[in-house]
Structures are given as C-alpha cells and as structure tokens.
C-alpha cells in the first residue's frame, strides 16, 4: 500500500482528498470524505462539528489561520444550496491544510482521516503503541500474536522508507518496539479476509509482506493470503515447528519452494534447505489437488493435515518416515491400494468424508491405532474385516456409512476383533456388557464349527519335513488331538530315551558341586526332565543321544511336545477338552539364519515379493530368531524372527503351521521399523538383548529383542550399528551397556562396599523364572549370581516415557535373588520342564488360543545353601548354548575364588598418600577376631560343604538380602597424610564451630549432614583438608562455613541442601545428594584416598567415593549416598555476584552454565555475613603470591583505590571489587518491574498503581494443598511479596535471572509467575504453632471483588426465619519462613495495615 506523499512538487491535493457527497442523518448533515493515497482509496464521514473541533486543534498545534474554516451557520443550514456550498468550502479547507502539513501530518489530522486504519505510517504507529503497552506480557505468557496482512504489509513498506523509526515525536509510537518484539515472538497468526478493508478498496489477500525479521518464530498460522505473496520463508523455516495455512495455497510447493521451479539441481544438489524442525503441518481448507514431491523437504514432520482439499491419490508420503498422524478427510478419494507401501508407521489416519467403498488397502497398516472412515460409501461387512485384523487398532469410526444400517452392525464388527473386542472403541462408544456377551456367544459358535470340521478330518502323526500335497492343512498332520483322554502325555514318534511315565521310576541326579571341581558343567551334569509334580521322565543313560538329537532324529527343526494337563481337574472346573492348547516348541539353534542363502532368498521374496527389481529390493543384513517384548505389553513374550535389511527392521512372529520353507514354522509380519525412525538403540549386558525405540510412536514402538546367546546378540548389534551409522538422516549412535551401565555400576558399587574385587560382568542372559514364568535378567559377576526383575530391560527409560508418566530419576533394580559364587550348591539338574502349561498372558492378541508356538526352553535348577537356609534357583534359557555358557562361567568363577591367594594386608608405599583404610583404632579385638573368622569361613566353605547333603523337596525362590559385614563406619577424617593446621587460631576454631552448628534451614538436614554439625572447629578443618580440599593445595586455609540451599543454573527447579566451605582459594559445595557434575571426573590417584589392595578384600568395607571426584567421602551400610563435594568454585572463575531482593539470596556466576549457582540463604543477616566474608576471601586471593599479576595491574590497583568503584547499571547498583569481580545489588528498576507485574495482574486503575509499594519480600515455602500442610519436605518454594494492600505468592526463577553474559536468548521460564494474591483487608486471623516456630497460617475470607446485596431481605431483623448475609468460606495459606526476624517484620506490617483498615487489632492464635 502506498504512503502519504511528502514530495510537494509532485503533490496533488485535488487528487488526494475530496468530499464526494453528503447525507442527512437525524437532522444534521454528514459529509463523505474520500481519501486517496496512491492507488488505494477509502472514505470517512464527519459532521461540521467534527471539522470545527479539528480546526481548533490545528490552530493550537500548527498555528494555521483561524479564518481558514468557513464559519458556522445557525439558521438555513439545511438548504440544498447551502450544503453544496459548504461541501466545496470544506473540501478546499482540507486540501489547503494537507498542502501545508504534507511533510508531517499532525496526529489529530491523521486520526480525522483514519490514517491509523489505512495508511502505513498510521498503521505501524498503532502497532508500535500496542506492543509498547503489552508486548512483554505477550512474550512472557507465550500467547498468540494476531496481525493482519495489511499490518505486515505496512511494516514491510515502512521499513523500506529512509525515515527515522520515530518520526511522530511520541516514544510509544517508535517502530523500534515492533522490531524488538517480532525478533522474539514465537507464535504468530496472520488472519486475512477476502472482503475489502473497511470502506477502502484494499484487498488484503493480494498484499505482499516479509517475515524475515521474525527470527524466533516457531508457530505460524496464515489465512486468506496468497502464499506466493509471502517472502522471508527461507529465514523463518530454520526455527519453525508448526505451520498452518488456510485458503492460501493450491500447491504444497507454493509454500515449501515458493517461486522456485524445482528444489534439486540436475546434479542432485539442493537448491533450498530442509524444514528441519517442522513437526506439524496443516494445509487444510485449500485447493490442493495432488501431493507433490516437495514434501520431501519436511523429513521430520509427524502430523500432516490435508483435509478439505481436492486430492485424489496419495503420492510421495513414503518420504515422511516420522509421520504418525495423517488427516485426508473430505477430499475426493475413491480407492486406496496398498497404503502400507505409500506411508510409514501411522498411528492415526482420518479418511472421513470421501467416497471409499473398500478398506482392503488398509489391511497392512500394522501400527495404526485410530482409524476414521466415517461419511464414506462402505456397504459390505467383509470390508470391515480388513481393518479388524490390525493388531494395534484401538478406535474405529464408521459413522454414516451404508454398512451401519446392517442388522446387529456393532456386534458383528466387534466379533471380528476376536478377543480384543473389549479394548476397541467403535464409533466413539465402548462396547457395552450386553454387546460383549453377544460377541462371546458368536465366537463360541464359530469355534465350535471349526473344531467340528477338524474332528472330521483324518489325523496322522507326521514330521513337518515329510512330503505333503501343496495346500494341505498342517495342523492335523503334526499333532494328535490333545483332548483324547487316553494320553496324558504325548511324545514324538521315533524319539529315543523316552518311555511312558507309568513304566518308569523317577530318578534324580543330585550332586554336591565343589568349588574346586574343574571341567565343563555340561560334561559333569546329568540330563533330567521333570514330567509332573510327582512323576519324572527317566534319566538319559550314558551313550544315548543328547536331548536335541532325541527330539530331532529326522533332522527336523520343530520338536513337538504336547503339554501335560490334568483332564479331571479341567472337567471339575467346567472346561472342555477341546480348549486345551496345543503348544509347539521350536529349537532356536536349528532354525536357519542369514548364512543360509536359500533361506535368505526365500525370505526376501516373502517380504518384498518376486516382481520387484533387484536394484529396488532391500538386501538382508542379518536374521536373528529371538523373543520380543513390547514396552506397551510387557506381560507378553512374542517368539519372532528379526530381519534386518538395509533400511528397515522386520519383526515376524511365529505362527502355527508351515511357511513353505522346510523346517520353519509359519511367519506373520508383526512390526516394521524404518531405521531412519530409530530414536534410541541400546545393547544390554554382554549383548544378551537389544532394545530399539521408534521415534514418535511411544510405548508401542519400543521393543526388547532377547538374543539366543551373546555371540548372536553381538553380531546382530554390530550389523545394526553399521546400518544406523549409514542412516540417511545422519549417524545414530548405539548405547553400549554390555559392561558399563547403571545396573553394572550399582552392582560394582555394592560389591565394592563389601570389600570384593569387582569390575566385570562375566555373563548375562534374559531368562524366565521357574514356577512363575516371569522374565528376569540373569547376571553373573566375578563374585555373585544375580536374578534381576525384568524392569531393568527398560532402563534407561525410553525417551517417550517423560511425557506419559512420572518416572523416578534414580535407577532402582529389584533383585529377585542374589547368591555368592562361593556358596555351596547342590541339587543341580538340567532339562526341559513339561510339568504344566506355561503361562503366556494375553497370547490371544498374538496367536490363536488353541495353537501356540514358542521357542524350546532349556532349564537349569540348583539349590544355594545360604546362611538363612536352602534357597531354590530355577531358570529357563532360550538356547542350550546360553545355558552351558552360564554353567561354564560359574564353574570358572568358583575355581578362581578357591585358588585365590589368602588375604594379607599390604604395606603402604613410601611417600604415598593412601588412606588408612585398615580397621579403625576404635575397633576392639573381638570385632577383629570375628572378621577373621568370617574370612576364614569363606576360605573353607568349599571343603566343609562337600560332605553336607541337604534334602530340599520344595524349591523356593526368595530374595536374598545383601550379606555384608555389619560394621559401622564412623564419620571421621582420614589423617593418612600430615596436615599443616598452624593457621587455626582459637578464634578461628570457635568461628568454624559456631558456623557449622548454626543451621536454621526450613528443611531438616539428613542424618549424615547432622554429623558435620557435631564436629569441633579443629575436626572440621581436618575433615576439610583430608576429604574435601583438592590435592596439592598448599597453603590453603579454611576460613568460613555456612548452611544454605543451592540452586544450579542448569536446573532451576532443583534445591540442594549444602554446606559451603570457604577457603583462601575456592568455595566448596558439600552435600550428601548425588549431583551430576559437568566436570571431568578425577581418577582415584588424584584424591587423598585410594582403593585398597585386593589383599584386604573381605576384611573391611571400602570407604572410597565411588565417583572418585573428591577426597575420602564416607558412606554407611544402609544408604549408598555419601557426603561429597559436588562443585569447587575457584575465585579465579568468579565473574559476577548478584544479590537478590532484600538480601534473600546470592547468585555466583562463573564462566558458563555449569559453574553458576544461586545460594538461597533466606536470611538477610546470613547473606550480609557471606558477602563480607566473600570480599575478604577475594582480597586474600588477590594478594596471594600464587596469583599471576602484571606490574600494570598493580599500578592500576594503586590508583584505582582512590576512585569510586560504584556505578548505576540497568540491573541496579554495581560495586567493582579490587579483584575485578562486580557485585550487583538490585535497584529501583527491579522493584518497579516486580510491582508492575503484580499491579498488572490485579488490573488496578492508574491512581492505585501509583500508590502501590512493596513493603516486604521473603523467600519461603508454601503448602500448595491441604495434605501438605504438615509435611515440610513436600512444600513448594515461593516468593512472598507484601504490598500496602495485597499479599502475593509467586514462583520465581532465582537461578536464570538476571541474565548472565554467557546466556543466549531468554530462558524457558519467566522470572516471576504469580500463583496467588490475597487482599490484606480479607485477612481474618493468623495461626502460630508451638511445635514449629517457623510455621504460620494466614486465614483469609474467600470474598469476591463485588458483593451483590439483596435489598429485599431484612438483614437485621430479629426473626430467625429471615437470615442475614451468610458467612463467606475461609481459605488458609500455610507458610514456612526461615528467619525469625522476617516473621516479626511481616507480622508487624500486617498488624499496622489491619489497624489502619479496621481500627482494631489483628486476631492471632497460638496452637
């Protein structure tokens, strides 16, 4: 749009303003003024009185001639002749005025002609004034900023003019406010219109505007504006996360490419950059006819909305590998063929409002959870069956389709979901109980028909490898009917070594295993199979075939065994024999893998078809047979074949029947994961499992692949890592937890605390616990056997869990069992248990109830003879190799422990700074002898237990407590090195003792920190030098300690109760909480304390810090946390000191975010003492001879001492210490900003805002709910602000503000967020508590702002029936204030305010 011209030589007043007519409105004449600016015109209407008011203002402002305006006429002013004459005179008046003020149009004239609505200067000045008033509020509240294309066009054109930003003289109208705002705003909505703007001829949809100045834009919504008219897209797409375009585009490339004809050059070079951060795109309500190839520029988009367009077919969406939500509703689709080849792993698909009559193309969208095909033309019930087989489908919408008119439509559709009928939501309604009962009847009838058909067919037992006609049924050939009452146990024809249980006697192979035994476990144990709770199959004799040979004598892979069931018990419970499941066990070791070329060729044809070109077909990289556990269904174990190709991972689950390849059961595609979508990949201990997580899919896209053995797992992991590194979207690192993980660290730490030599995971495997069939992780370290709960398989937690549920930050691993490798072991048995039907919960969701396929388990059971008694240990492995490997390594570990040298105490080397980790001097002789007896007991345990035989009839699984030496470790400083404490004067010792004992924090100290408060001054100094201070810190002296709450800059929501120790070189932050330090951890030799020698293992628990980041840090037996220094703040790294309001806190700013902390003293006196001590320490450090200083610095300090070191800054008053460290105290601007936020929240009038003042400011704790009133630890930190009329509570970010120099951009949280405001006038009483002097409760009446009084009621009547005004409800505010002086000040101010408002004293109660 053009602007009002300033070139007087080319200025034509006649063509700029004219009065085109007049009309009579309510007995007065209104003149229509037409304003023309360039090619744009608009009209305004005014009476003569409006002209008169304008003229008076122009005379006062611009000093124009008073007689320029025609005079007012009282009589005869309604005649037609007079009106025409007056119209011409007024037109001449406007033209004359505009001619003389064209170089600078006065604001009154601009408002009169409505320049603020139609002219670029007026529009931009209006925007500037609006953002001056509410720009900061919009940014802090993260609200959407709404503008029109006309405003953006005006701003774009205004910036092209060579004019100052503030040409009006009004600071509020400076367009610099706009520029400052748009560079920081994140959410923008541009809402246009197809109608002309007001009375003008301006069409906003045709206006061009530039968005390149929106540097931080994350969300953009544009309506009714042509996309090709928008420039600056290339700039904003670097930060864009979501984009919405309505009524803007006819092609997607119009916004993604704009005017470029193509996005790739002939040589493949990109001409434009990707929309790397775009995750949501909404192109609905446009005229898009096809999906062009420009969508490849949005590789990370997850949500795509293309509804209400004219799209007929789906193309190019296969490039969007992260797409999980797709809306194609209300387009012109008639059919969708093989949709799984055109889109990725969708979770939500909306196809409502199209013309679809078939759903066959959706039958392989296995990850689909929500499908909407309402308002289509689906008429056949068989079409619904295509989507009912999808395993993850949870919601199906079929409204307004012809098929919904079918009789019993809902029950028929629900019956197609089989056992998942109760989990599905159909047409926005969950199935009722009546519908579920009907579905169950329909399913029972169907199963009865199927079983009847099977019973009519001849049944023969035959190997799967036998020749059969093509297409013949598999199940009748493989099995007998298990319902036959003649056979309680059915074996395999031709198998050797098996006889009927009735003709065999149960035999046990029980053997006491000596730790000194050598050789392989698999050679020394006897095969034993347990067929039932009372009868057992005979033991395999020497010279007979192994188990695998017996079960597969004809070289077949499937070893079919029917599980034994007690038919009489089932009949007594009302179960039919036909429902007994037929279970097929497959030997995983004999299945073909990727080294079998024939199997690879067959598998490629099975996955990709035979018609695909060899260049297009993906090459198979690895094939691993494994058990799969889905995070969303952790109770299910799915037997699968994991196929790794060049770009994808296929999970094919095993089904009953034959797949067409000899020796392999039937396979069904369960899940497809593109490698580009892998969010996280992790290998478990010793590569026993691999965990994969797909991006943006959630728990249903997270899987654990249980490897058959470590070799198979490592090979698959290496191939997977190679493919991930060659991903199209960049390299994806695989987390290797084979030896180094949180679980191994916890195990090593616990064993290290027991004095055991540790540091290696020997073998690990995922097993099922005998008797319960629960999955667990079996881990063998150098000292113990651990059976860990299956939760460890999903630690670290998948990335998607942070948004779905609250997770504890610290890992917790539940030990089901743990046993020392030196414990006596007996009753060792290996074999395959067939005593009962295994528990596989929810198998119906993956396999048929009657026909199940699992991998053959390989059991091992033994008895550990602990001090508490005999404990049974029985687990099932996935392969024989994994079982034998565990037994072999257990034998080796026992042998190593047996032949280990006897422990002897090693002498300390000369000149070493080793810690005196020997037994404490306070330990009496009896304790030492007891320890020696326990150690000798460990040595002779193997010999003594060989002659002991314990009969265990019922093996029991029980968690074994950690059998550690019950030695109490005292918190005493280690004095293995000589310390120079000559600087400790009696006065300094008294000061240190007084400081360490003067703790009045609101939250109580932990028992370990309380031990510090009991130290004397000399003991504290010794503890500091031996355990806390850095090594080789000569001449370092401890001068001051204080208790505070520390808030790290990197985590403003974390509060750490700490003891700050100030020495002459640095400040040490000490706590018993584990804080992740960003610094590189120091090795053990860099601290005063080192690990003990292996020769003293078992004599004493180690007391060395497991992190090795500072000195000797002690731990107790029950708690693994330690007192440690989590940060050392050197004075040389101190860059700035910021003091908070009312001296409530201090922020120490270092070089970066890792070295910036806020100290919450919550006491002005403590802050004052700390600041005085800090300046003293800085002075001592500055004068230290170890500090490098040039002669120029010395001269500057000499002359600078005579000058003032204070100055006023934007943040407040700044004092520059001689060490060049600035100390900044809050100024009036800080108080004004805080007061403005409070008054703006209250929406006070201008006069009340001017009178408002802050009387008191305190950092305290507040109970956010009633159940927290008594729990101190659960209270939330808040800032309490008392003004002259209100009491305000707010959440304050004390760590991020004021912004440090290293900060780039604003923090994610605002500095102040008001949570509660109460009037002092509504305060009723105050409650104090005798048991806690820091706690008080303020009782307010919950009164509304305005009270409506019913005047028809006689409020003061003596009649009981007429009630007066009811008492208002009360609201309590429980506050914990640390400093007693602050409590007294607040109460004094409240009493005075109450006395001024009510004339009496405030009510106070002590409870």
């Amino acid at each position: 749009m053009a602007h009002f011209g300033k070139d007087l030589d080319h200025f034509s007043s006649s063509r700029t303003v004219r009065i085109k007519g007049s009309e009579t409105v309510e007995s007065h004449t209104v003149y229509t003024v037409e304003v023309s600016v360039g090619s744009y015109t608009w009209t305004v209407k005014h009476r003569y009185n409006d002209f008169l008011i304008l003229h008076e203002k122009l005379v006062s402002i611009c000093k124009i001639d008073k007689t320029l305006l025609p005079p007012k006429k009282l009589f005869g002013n309604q005649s037609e002749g007079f009106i025409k004459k007056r119209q011409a005179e007024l037109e001449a008046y406007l033209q004359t005025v505009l001619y003389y003020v064209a170089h600078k149009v006065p604001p009154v004239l601009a408002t009169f002609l409505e320049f603020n609505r139609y002219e670029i200067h007026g529009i931009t000045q209006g925007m500037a004034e609006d953002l001056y008033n509410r720009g900061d509020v919009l940014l802090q509240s993260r609200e959407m900023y709404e503008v029109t294309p006309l405003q953006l066009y005006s701003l774009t054109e205004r910036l092209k003019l060579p004019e100052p930003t503030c040409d009006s003289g009004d600071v509020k109208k400076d367009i610099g406010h706009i520029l400052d705002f748009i560079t920081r705003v994140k959410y923008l909505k541009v809402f246009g219109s197809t109608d002309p703007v007001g009375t003008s001829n301006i069409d906003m949809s045709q206006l061009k505007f530039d968005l390149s100045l929106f540097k931080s834009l994350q969300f953009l919504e544009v309506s009714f504006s042509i996309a090709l008219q928008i420039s600056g897209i290339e700039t904003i797409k670097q930060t864009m996360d979501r984009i919405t375009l309505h009524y803007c585009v006819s092609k997607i490339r119009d916004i993604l490419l704009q005017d470029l004809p193509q996005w790739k050059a002939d040589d493949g070079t990109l001409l434009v950059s990707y929309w790397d951060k775009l995750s949501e795109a909404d192109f609905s309500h446009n005229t898009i006819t096809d999906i062009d190839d420009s969508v490849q520029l949005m590789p990370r988009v997850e949500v795509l909305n293309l509804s209400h367009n004219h799209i007929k077919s789906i193309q190019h969406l296969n490039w969007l590998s992260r797409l999980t939500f797709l809306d194609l509703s209300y387009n012109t689709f008639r059919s969708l063929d093989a949709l799984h080849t055109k889109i990725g792993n969708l979770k939500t698909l909306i196809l409502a409002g199209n013309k679809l009559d078939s759903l066959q193309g959706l039958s392989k969208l296995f990850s689909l959870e929500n499908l909407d095909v309402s308002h289509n033309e689906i008429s056949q019930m068989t079409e619904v069956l295509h989507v009912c087989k999808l395993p993850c489908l949870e919601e199906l919408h079929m409204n307004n389709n012809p098929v919904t008119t079918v009789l019993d439509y809902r029950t028929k559709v629900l019956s197609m979901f089989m056992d998942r009928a109760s989990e599905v939501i159909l047409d926005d309604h969950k199935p009722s109980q009546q519908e579920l009962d009907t579905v169950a009847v329909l399913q029972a009838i169907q199963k009865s028909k199927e079983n009847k058909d099977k019973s009519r067919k001849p049944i023969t037992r035959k190997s799967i490898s036998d020749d059969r006609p093509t297409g013949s049924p598999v199940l009748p050939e493989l099995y007998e009917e298990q319902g036959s009452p003649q056979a309680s146990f059915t074996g395999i024809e031709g198998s050797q070594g098996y006889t009927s249980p009735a003709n065999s006697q149960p035999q046990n192979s029980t053997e006491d295993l000596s730790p000194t035994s050598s050789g392989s476990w698999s050679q020394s144990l006897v095969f034993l199979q347990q067929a039932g709770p009372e009868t057992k199959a005979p033991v395999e004799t020497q010279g007979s075939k192994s188990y695998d040979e017996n079960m597969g004598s004809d070289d077949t892979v499937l070893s079919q065994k029917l599980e034994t069931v007690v038919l009489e018990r089932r009949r007594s419970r009302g179960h039919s024999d036909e429902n007994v499941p037929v279970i097929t066990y497959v030997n995983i070791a004999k299945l073909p893998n990727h080294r079998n070329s024939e199997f690879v060729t067959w598998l490629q044809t099975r996955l990709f078809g035979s018609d695909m070109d060899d260049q297009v077909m993906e090459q198979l990289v690895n094939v691993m047979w494994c058990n799969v556990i889905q995070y969303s269904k952790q109770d299910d174990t799915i037997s699968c074949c994991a196929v790794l190709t060049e770009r994808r991972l296929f999970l094919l689950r095993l089904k009953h029947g034959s797949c067409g390849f000899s020796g392999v059961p039937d396979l069904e595609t369960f899940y497809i994961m593109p490698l580009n979508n892998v969010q996280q990949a992790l290998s478990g201990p010793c590569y026993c499992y691999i965990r994969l997580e797909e991006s943006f899919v959630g728990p249903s896209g997270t899987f654990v692949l249980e490897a058959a053995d470590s070799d198979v797992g490592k090979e698959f992991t290496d191939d997977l890592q190679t493919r991930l590194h060659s991903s199209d979207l960049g390299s994806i690192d695989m987390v290797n937890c084979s030896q180094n993980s949180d679980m191994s660290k916890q195990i090593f730490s616990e064993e290290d605390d027991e004095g055991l030599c540790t540091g290696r995971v020997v073998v690990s495997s995922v097993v099922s616990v005998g008797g319960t069939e629960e999955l667990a992780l079996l881990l063998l370290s150098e000292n113990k056997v651990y059976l860990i709960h299956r939760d460890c398989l999903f630690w670290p937690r998948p990335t998607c869990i942070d948004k779905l549920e609250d997770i504890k930050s610290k890992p917790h691993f539940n030990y089901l069992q743990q046993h020392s490798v030196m414990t006596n072991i007996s009753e060792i048995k290996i074999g395959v248990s067939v005593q009962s039907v295994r528990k596989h919960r929810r198998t119906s969701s993956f396999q048929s109830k009657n026909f199940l396929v699992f991998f053959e388990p390989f059991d091992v059971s033994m008895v550990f003879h602990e001090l508490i008694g005999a404990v049974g240990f029985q687990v099932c492995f996935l392969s024989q190799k994994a079982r034998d490997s565990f037994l072999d390594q257990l034998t080796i570990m026992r042998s190593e422990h047996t032949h280990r040298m006897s422990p002897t105490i090693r002498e300390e080397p000369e000149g070493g700074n080793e810690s005196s980790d020997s037994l404490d001097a306070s330990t009496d002789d009896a304790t030492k002898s007891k320890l020696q007896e326990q150690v000798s007991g460990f040595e002779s345990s193997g010999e003594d237990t060989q002659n002991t035989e314990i009969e265990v009839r019922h093996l029991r699984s029980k968690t074994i407590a950690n059998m550690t030496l019950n030695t109490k470790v005292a918190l005493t400083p280690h004095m293995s090195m000589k310390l120079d404490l000559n600087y400790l004067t009696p006065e300094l010792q008294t000061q240190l003792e007084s400081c360490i004992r003067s703790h009045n924090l609101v939250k109580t100290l932990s028992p370990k920190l309380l031990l510090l408060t009991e130290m004397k001054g000399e003991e504290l100094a010794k503890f500091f030098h031996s355990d806390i201070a850095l090594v080789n810190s000569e001449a370092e002296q401890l001068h001051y300690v204080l208790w505070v709450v520390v808030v790290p800059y990197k985590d403003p929501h974390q509060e750490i109760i700490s003891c700050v120790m100030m020495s002459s070189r640095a400040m040490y932050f000490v706590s018993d909480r584990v804080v992740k330090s960003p610094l590189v951890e120091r090795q053990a030799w860099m601290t005063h304390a080192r690990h003990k020698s292996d020769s003293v293992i078992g004599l004493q628990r180690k007391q060395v810090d497991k992190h090795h980041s500072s000195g000797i840090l002690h731990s107790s037996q029950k708690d693994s946390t330690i007192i440690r220094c989590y940060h050392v703040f050197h004075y040389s790294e101190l860059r700035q000191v910021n003091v908070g309001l009312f001296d409530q806190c201090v922020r120490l700013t270092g070089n970066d975010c890792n070295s910036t902390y806020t100290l919450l003293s919550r006491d002005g006196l403590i802050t004052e003492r700390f600041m005085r001590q800090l300046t003293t320490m800085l002075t001592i450090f500055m004068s230290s001879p170890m500090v490098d200083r040039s002669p120029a610095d010395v001269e500057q300090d000499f002359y600078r001492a005579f000058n003032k070191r204070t100055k006023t800054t934007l943040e407040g008053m700044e004092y520059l210490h001689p060490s060049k460290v600035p100390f900044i105290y809050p100024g009036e601007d800080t108080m004004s900003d805080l007061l403005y936020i409070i008054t703006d929240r209250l929406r006070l009038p201008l006069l009340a805002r001017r009178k408002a003042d802050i009387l008191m400011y305190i950092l305290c704790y507040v109970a956010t709910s009633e159940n927290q009133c008594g729990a101190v630890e659960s209270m939330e930190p808040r800032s309490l602000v008392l003004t002259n009329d209100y009491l305000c509570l707010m959440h304050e970010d004390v760590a991020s503000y004021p912004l440090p120099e290293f900060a780039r951009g604003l923090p994610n949280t605002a500095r102040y967020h008001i949570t509660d405001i109460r009037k002092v006038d509504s305060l009723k009483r105050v409650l104090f508590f005798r048991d806690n002097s820091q706690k008080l409760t303020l009782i307010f009446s919950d009164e509304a702002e305005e009270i409506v009084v019913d005047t028809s009621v006689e409020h003061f009547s003596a009649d009981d029936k007429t009630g007066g005004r009811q008492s208002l409800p009360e609201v309590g505010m429980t506050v914990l204030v640390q400093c007693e002086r602050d409590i007294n000040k607040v109460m004094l101010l409240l009493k005075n305010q109450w006395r001024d408002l009510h004339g009496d004293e405030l009510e106070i109660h002590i409870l």
Side-chain angles (χ1 to χ4, degrees), residues 702-720:
T702 304
F703 299 91
V704 168
L705 280 59
E706 174 190 347
D709 55 75
S710 297
D711 295 336
V712 173
K714 187 175 189 310
E715 182 182 5
F716 189 86
T717 301
D718 294 341
D719 292 340
L720 177 62

Side-chain angles (χ1 to χ4, degrees), residues 167-213:
D167 55 355
S168 64
D170 189 353
V171 178
K172 294 182 179 180
K173 298 180 179 181
D174 190 344
I175 64 172
H177 302 312
I178 307 177
L179 300 178
D180 178 66
F181 175 81
I182 65 177
T183 56
R184 295 188 293 164
V185 68
K186 297 182 179 180
Y187 310 98
L188 178 66
K189 181 179 181 181
V190 184
F191 188 78
S193 175
T194 56
D195 300 328
V197 181
T199 60
S200 70
N201 63 346
I202 302 173
D203 185 2
M204 286 195 295
S205 63
Q206 301 295 328
L207 297 178
K208 296 182 179 181
F209 53 88
D210 187 9
L211 297 177
S212 59
L213 292 177

Side-chain angles (χ1 to χ4, degrees), residues 109 325 331 377 432 535 609 704 879 1019 1027 1161 1184 1230 1269 1308:
L109 181 58
F325 181 98
N331 280 279
E377 300 177 359
S432 63
T535 62
V704 168
S879 67
E1019 294 176 348
D1027 295 3
S1161 63
S1184 174
T1230 306
C1269 293
N1308 295 328

